[in-house]
């Protein structure tokens, strides 16, 4: 059996047999006609109250994490910080749906998902501090390094997932991307390979409306980004990215489908970046305050608070508990980031290649000579 005929294909009426005929009925792959929502719908009452409270707690802690990291950047303690403020529902849900042995493949904006996965904040932000290629052991937390080039983590996720499938390891990989990443060739290659190989991987596209300053309308003419899934032969799902229970439910279903041999899923979460692209960006040049204000009314924490209080699942004690946990995290971040780290410049060359290239060895030798000369001057 070849790669091209390893799955069942339904004959489409009206087409003659041959290579040019449609190989599957596309209708089951089409995304939802409207974004999936749970908050404010009868579906909310079917969700586990403990899960809803946990999502609320993580949203509150995550928002404070974003705020503190942004402040540290303004103080010069971080070189850059791409905040996920406003996108916390996607971040915390992505971390929660994964099993202990599953893998997360984040982009540069997904440090909150990394922290929610259990990585220490100081380690998660090391790259953005400019101190190392990555600050944590990817294997320990089964979390790939933050990926700054757009979408290059997506093929990595597919490769790992396919390798796990071949070895009989029930591992699922979850790749996080932004809407801008869907315009990259790596996105196309990843989805094409994932579908053909039926790799157990889920792609979560956090569509916040802008690739830096480029609006989605200037990137794609597709009805939704989720519709792109159909062209690759995988299901597309569309979800309200600020509705934490909805994101959790859609991702849970996609992860379970991947784990049980159903193949990949593309999930588009409609959300909004409440802050600028980074501290180097002036968002007022390409979006209005009215637009930002409208989205603040659809803030993920605000939506959760309203819904949970309506069900009697949120009281002042839980609000204080979440706020206190958030402040404890912020205080620890301030204390740790205000301490100057001791860095070894030669570590720049570690963990780049398994076998250093001649060019890399030459650069390392040159740096070692410069450091030795500086040390000699200091001690003369």
């Amino acid at each position: 059996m070849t790669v091209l005929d390893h799955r069942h294909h339904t004959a489409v009426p009206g087409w003659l047999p041959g290579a040019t005929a449609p190989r599957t009925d596309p209708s089951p792959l089409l995304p939802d006609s409207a974004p999936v929502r749970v908050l404010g719908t009868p579906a909310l009452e079917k969700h586990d109250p403990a899960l809803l409270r946990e999502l609320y707690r993580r949203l509150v802690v995550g928002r404070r994490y974003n705020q503190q990291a942004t402040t540290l950047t303004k103080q010069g303690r971080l070189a850059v910080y791409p905040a996920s403020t406003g996108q916390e529902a996607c971040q915390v849900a992505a971390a929660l749906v994964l099993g202990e042995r599953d893998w997360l493949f984040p982009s540069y904006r997904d440090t909150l998902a990394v922290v929610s996965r259990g990585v220490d904040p100081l380690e998660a932000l090391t790259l953005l501090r400019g101190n190392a290629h990555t600050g944590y052991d990817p294997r320990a937390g089964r979390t790939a390094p933050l990926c700054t080039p757009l979408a290059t983590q997506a093929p990595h996720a597919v490769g790992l997932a396919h390798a796990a499938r071949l070895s009989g390891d029930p591992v699922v990989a979850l790749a996080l991307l932004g809407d801008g990443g869907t315009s990259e060739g790596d996105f196309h290659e990843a989805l094409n390979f994932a579908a053909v190989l039926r790799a157990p991987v889920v792609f979560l596209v956090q569509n916040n409306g802008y690739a830096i300053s480029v609006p989605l309308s200037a990137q794609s003419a597709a009805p939704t980004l989720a519709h792109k899934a159909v062209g690759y032969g995988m299901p597309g799902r569309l979800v309200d990215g600020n509705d934490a229970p909805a994101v959790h439910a859609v991702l849970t279903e996609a992860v379970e489908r991947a784990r049980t041999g159903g193949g990949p899923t593309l999930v588009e979460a409609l959300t909004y970046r409440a802050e600028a692209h980074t501290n180097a960006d002036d968002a007022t040049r390409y979006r209005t305050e009215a637009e930002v204000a409208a989205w603040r009314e659809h803030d993920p924490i605000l939506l959760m608070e309203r819904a949970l209080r309506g069900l009697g699942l949120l009281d002042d004690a839980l609000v204080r508990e979440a706020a206190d946990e958030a402040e404890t995290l912020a205080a620890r971040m301030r204390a740790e980031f205000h301490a100057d780290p001791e860095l070894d410049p030669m570590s720049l060359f570690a963990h780049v290649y398994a076998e250093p290239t001649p060019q890399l060895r030459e650069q390392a030798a040159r740096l070692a000579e410069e450091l030795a000369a500086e040390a000699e001057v200091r001690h003369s």
Side-chain angles (χ1 to χ4, degrees):
M1 182 175 289
T2 67
V3 170
L4 292 178
D5 60 15
H6 66 69
R7 60 180 170 177
H8 175 72
H9 298 296
T10 304
V12 179
W15 283 83
L16 297 174
T20 59
R23 298 176 54 240
T24 60
D25 177 7
S27 55
L29 307 179
L30 290 169
D32 313 86
S33 58
V36 175
R37 291 190 174 92
V38 169
L39 297 177
T41 75
L44 180 62
E45 298 184 12
K46 301 178 182 179
H47 279 65
D48 180 10
L51 172 62
L52 296 175
R53 293 190 186 97
E54 178 65 10
L55 285 169
Y56 170 78
R57 183 189 69 80
R58 287 180 178 245
L59 288 175
V60 172
V61 174
R63 176 61 53 83
R64 190 67 185 91
Y65 165 85
N66 267 320
Q67 292 171 340
Q68 187 59 67
T70 298
T71 299
L72 289 168
T73 307
K74 294 177 180 178
Q75 295 171 342
R77 293 296 176 177
L78 287 173
V80 65
Y81 183 65
S84 59
T85 307
Q87 300 178 211
E88 289 92 350
C90 295
Q91 299 281 298
V92 301
L96 270 177
V97 300
L98 293 177
E100 186 177 340
R101 289 185 51 76
D102 295 333
W103 274 81
L104 179 70
F105 285 79
S107 75
Y108 58 86
R109 195 178 299 282
D110 300 316
T111 58
L112 175 55
V114 173
V115 171
S116 297
R117 183 85 167 123
V119 176
D120 183 86
L122 185 66
E123 296 179 354
L125 291 167
T126 294
L127 171 67
L128 302 178
R129 200 177 188 183
N131 289 349
H133 298 300
T134 188
Y136 54 89
D137 179 358
R139 292 182 180 84
R142 300 178 86 81
T143 300
L146 297 176
C147 195
T148 302
L150 291 186
T152 55
Q153 75 275 21
H156 300 163
V158 176
L160 182 140
H162 180 53
R165 180 173 179 266
L166 291 177
S167 64
D169 192 354
V171 165
V172 174
L174 174 57
L176 302 179
L177 305 103
D179 50 287
T182 66
S183 297
E184 296 291 326
D186 292 275
F187 175 80
H188 159 73
E189 293 157 5
L191 269 70
N192 194 53
F193 272 116
V196 170
L197 299 172
R198 293 184 70 81
V201 59
V202 177
F203 304 95
L204 173 59
V205 175
Q206 300 165 84
N207 177 6
N208 63 24
Y210 294 91
I212 307 182
S213 60
V214 179
L216 182 64
S217 59
Q219 295 184 66
S220 174
T224 69
L225 296 177
H227 276 80
K228 291 177 178 283
V230 181
Y232 297 104
M234 70 177 70
R237 300 298 308 277
L238 185 65
V239 63
D240 183 341
N242 286 15
D243 185 329
V247 179
H248 186 276
V250 170
L251 288 179
T252 297
E253 182 180 321
V255 167
E256 183 60 22
R257 178 178 182 273
R259 198 183 310 281
T260 55
T265 302
L266 172 63
V267 178
E268 177 187 358
L270 300 176
T271 184
Y272 194 75
R273 168 171 51 82
E275 302 292 340
H277 173 69
T278 68
N279 51 297
D281 175 43
D282 180 7
T284 63
R285 299 180 63 182
Y286 54 86
R287 64 185 193 183
T288 66
E289 182 55 40
E291 177 182 303
V292 178
W295 273 95
R296 289 193 187 282
E297 289 300 309
H298 197 65
D299 182 89
I301 298 178
L302 183 62
L303 295 179
M304 280 292 285
E305 286 181 344
R306 288 172 179 168
L308 295 193
R309 285 192 182 277
L311 288 179
L313 297 178
L314 181 64
D315 55 21
D316 292 342
L318 181 55
V319 171
R320 285 194 301 273
E321 181 182 331
D324 289 345
E325 182 181 353
E327 286 306 319
T328 299
L329 173 62
R332 184 162 71 89
M333 290 173 65
R334 289 194 298 271
E336 292 179 348
F337 277 91
H338 284 147
D340 292 326
E342 295 184 8
L343 302 177
D344 176 13
M346 295 303 297
S347 67
L348 179 68
F349 302 97
H351 309 297
V352 178
Y353 291 99
E355 181 66 32
T357 64
Q359 294 87 348
L360 204 63
R361 288 195 294 268
E362 179 184 348
Q363 293 168 15
R366 187 179 304 171
L367 178 60
E369 292 175 1
E370 293 177 0
L371 293 173
E374 290 178 3
E376 184 177 345
V377 170
R378 286 197 303 270
H379 292 97
S380 61

